[in-house]
C-alpha cells in the first residue's frame, strides 16, 4: 500500500459513489437543468405552474425524479415545483378522528360483548407518512380495530366495565408504539360503549339486586341490635327510678296528643290504685 495516501483516495471514491447513488445522478441533473431552462424560457407563464401554496396545517412532500427532495416536507407558504421532474403530495397535519365500529369480543371469562371506541391521532412526520406506508389512515384504522380486540380479549367483563381508563391508556400506548415509524402520534383513545347480551344484563341486575337486599338485611339487623342495647340500658335506668317511668308515660301522652287528636287510654299503675283503696277503708 502506498504511504502517500492511495488508500484514503480509494475511501473517498467509495464515499463519492455512495453519494452519487443516493442522489439523482448525472442524467437526473441534466433533466433538472432542462426543466429549469424551460421555466426560464417560458417565464412568466411558467410561474403559475411552478408556484404552489401550502396551507398552515399542511405540509408538501416533494419528489424529484421519484426521490424525496431534501428528506423534509415543505411548507407552509409558497413552494417552487419544477415541471416535468417534480411532483408533490400534500399531507394534512390536523388531528383525525377515527371511529372504531362495534367489535364483537369474547372476554377472558367467556362473555360475548360488543365494544366500540374512538381514536384521535395526527401526523407529525409527513415524509414518514408518505414514504413508509401506502395509506396511513387506512392502516391506522385497521390497526386500531385489531388492537382493541386483542387488548379487550385479555380482560374479564368486570375489568372491562370498571377499568375503561386503564384499558384506553394501554391501547393508546400500543398504537403509538406501532405507528411511530409511520409518522403518527396517537393523542387519545376512548372506549365509547360496551354492549352485553340481554340475558347477561338480567343476570347482572338480579345479582346486584340480591347483593343490595343482603346488605339491607345486614344493616337492618345491626340497627335492631343497637336498638335492643339502647332499650336494655334505658330499662336499667328506669328500674332504678320508678318515678321516671311515670314521667315517661306523661311524655309519651304529650307527643301523641300533639300528633293525633284521638281518645287515649292512660294506664294507671296498680300500686297507685291499691293506695287509694287503703285510704278509703281507713276513712
Amino acid at each position: 500500500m502506498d504511504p502517500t495516501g492511495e488508500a484514503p483516495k480509494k475511501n473517498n471514491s467509495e464515499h463519492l459513489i455512495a453519494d452519487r447513488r443516493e442522489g439523482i445522478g448525472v442524467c437526473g441533473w441534466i433533466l433538472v437543468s432542462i426543466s429549469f431552462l424551460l421555466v426560464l424560457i417560458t417565464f412568466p407563464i411558467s410561474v403559475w405552474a411552478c408556484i404552489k401554496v401550502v396551507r398552515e396545517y399542511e405540509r408538501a412532500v416533494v419528489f424529484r425524479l421519484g426521490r424525496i427532495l431534501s428528506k423534509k416536507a415543505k411548507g407552509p407558504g409558497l413552494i417552487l415545483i419544477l415541471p416535468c421532474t417534480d411532483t408533490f403530495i400534500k399531507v394534512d397535519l390536523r388531528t383525525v378522528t377515527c371511529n372504531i365500529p362495534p367489535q364483537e369480543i369474547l372476554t377472558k371469562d367467556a362473555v360475548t360483548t360488543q365494544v366500540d371506541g374512538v381514536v384521535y391521532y395526527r401526523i407529525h412526520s409527513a415524509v414518514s407518512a408518505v414514504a413508509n406506508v401506502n395509506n396511513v389512515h387506512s392502516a391506522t384504522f385497521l390497526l386500531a380495530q385489531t388492537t382493541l380486540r386483542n387488548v379487550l380479549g385479555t380482560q374479564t367483563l368486570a375489568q372491562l366495565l370498571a377499568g375503561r381508563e386503564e384499558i384506553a391508556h394501554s391501547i393508546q400506548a400500543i398504537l403509538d408504539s406501532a405507528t411511530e415509524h409511520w409518522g403518527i402520534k396517537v393523542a387519545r383513545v376512548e372506549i365509547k360503549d360496551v354492549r352485553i347480551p340481554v340475558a347477561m344484563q338480567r343476570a347482572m341486575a338480579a345479582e346486584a339486586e340480591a347483593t343490595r337486599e343482603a346488605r339491607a338485611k345486614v344493616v337492618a339487623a345491626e340497627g335492631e341490635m343497637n336498638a335492643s342495647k339502647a332499650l336494655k340500658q334505658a330499662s336499667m335506668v328506669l328500674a332504678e327510678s320508678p318515678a321516671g317511668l311515670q314521667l315517661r308515660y306523661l311524655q309519651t301522652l304529650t307527643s301523641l296528643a300533639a300528633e293525633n287528636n284521638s281518645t287515649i287510654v292512660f294506664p294507671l299503675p296498680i300500686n297507685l290504685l291499691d293506695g287509694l283503696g287503703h285510704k278509703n277503708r281507713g276513712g
Side-chain angles (χ1 to χ4, degrees):
M1 182 174 65
D2 190 0
T4 61
E6 183 178 356
K9 289 183 179 179
K10 185 177 180 181
N11 292 334
N12 291 335
S13 63
E14 289 177 357
H15 287 301
L16 291 175
I17 291 173
D19 292 339
R20 184 175 297 174
R21 288 176 180 175
E22 291 180 359
I24 59 177
V26 177
C27 295
W29 283 112
I30 293 174
L31 292 176
V32 171
S33 301
I34 294 173
S35 178
F36 188 73
L37 288 176
L38 289 176
V39 171
L40 294 178
I41 293 171
T42 58
F43 186 83
I45 299 174
S46 60
V47 174
W48 302 103
C50 295
I51 295 179
K52 303 296 180 181
V53 178
V54 180
R55 297 181 179 90
E56 181 68 29
Y57 54 84
E58 293 178 335
R59 296 295 182 270
V61 181
V62 181
F63 293 87
R64 177 163 291 173
L65 296 177
R67 292 180 177 272
I68 296 177
L69 187 62
S70 73
K71 304 299 181 181
K72 186 178 180 181
K74 304 293 184 180
L78 298 177
I79 62 173
L80 180 63
I81 301 296
L82 292 178
C84 304
T85 60
D86 293 356
T87 57
F88 71 98
I89 298 175
K90 287 185 179 181
V91 179
D92 197 330
L93 302 184
R94 292 177 292 182
T95 301
V96 179
T97 303
C98 175
N99 287 316
I100 303 176
Q103 304 292 312
E104 190 169 352
I105 298 168
L106 184 65
T107 60
K108 189 176 180 179
D109 51 351
V111 178
T112 303
T113 61
Q114 286 188 347
V115 183
D116 58 351
V118 59
V119 178
Y120 300 92
Y121 67 92
R122 61 180 179 84
I123 297 175
H124 70 86
S125 176
V127 174
S128 299
V130 172
N132 294 342
V133 62
N134 182 21
N135 189 335
V136 64
H137 297 292
S138 177
T140 305
F141 174 71
L142 295 176
L143 182 62
Q145 290 185 1
T146 305
T147 305
L148 180 67
R149 288 196 297 267
N150 292 339
V151 172
L152 296 184
T154 61
Q155 306 291 325
T156 63
L157 181 60
Q159 293 173 344
L160 176 58
L161 296 176
R164 291 191 182 187
E165 288 292 334
E166 291 78 7
I167 295 173
H169 288 312
S170 176
I171 295 174
Q172 177 183 349
I174 294 173
L175 286 177
D176 199 16
S177 176
T179 58
E180 177 66 25
H181 65 285
W182 296 347
I184 295 294
K185 175 63 179 177
V186 179
R188 190 177 183 86
V189 176
E190 291 290 343
I191 297 176
K192 293 197 298 185
D193 191 15
V194 179
R195 300 184 183 92
I196 57 178
V198 178
M200 180 60 65
Q201 292 180 12
R202 293 174 180 173
M204 292 176 65
E207 181 182 1
E209 184 178 359
T211 302
R212 287 194 298 268
E213 289 180 355
R215 192 177 304 167
K217 291 179 179 179
V218 171
V219 172
E222 291 178 353
E224 291 291 338
M225 182 179 64
N226 295 331
S228 62
K229 290 181 180 179
L231 289 174
K232 179 181 178 182
Q233 294 177 358
S235 63
M236 293 173 63
V237 173
L238 291 174
E240 295 177 356
S241 176
L245 182 60
Q246 304 301 323
L247 294 175
R248 183 59 180 167
Y249 282 157
L250 295 175
Q251 186 179 2
T252 304
L253 288 174
T254 303
S255 61
L256 291 175
E259 293 179 0
N260 298 316
N261 294 325
S262 59
T263 302
I264 300 174
V265 178
F266 179 69
L268 290 175
I270 300 299
N271 55 1
L272 182 60
L273 295 178
D274 293 339
L276 293 175
H278 288 301
K279 288 181 179 179
N280 293 329
R281 292 173 186 174

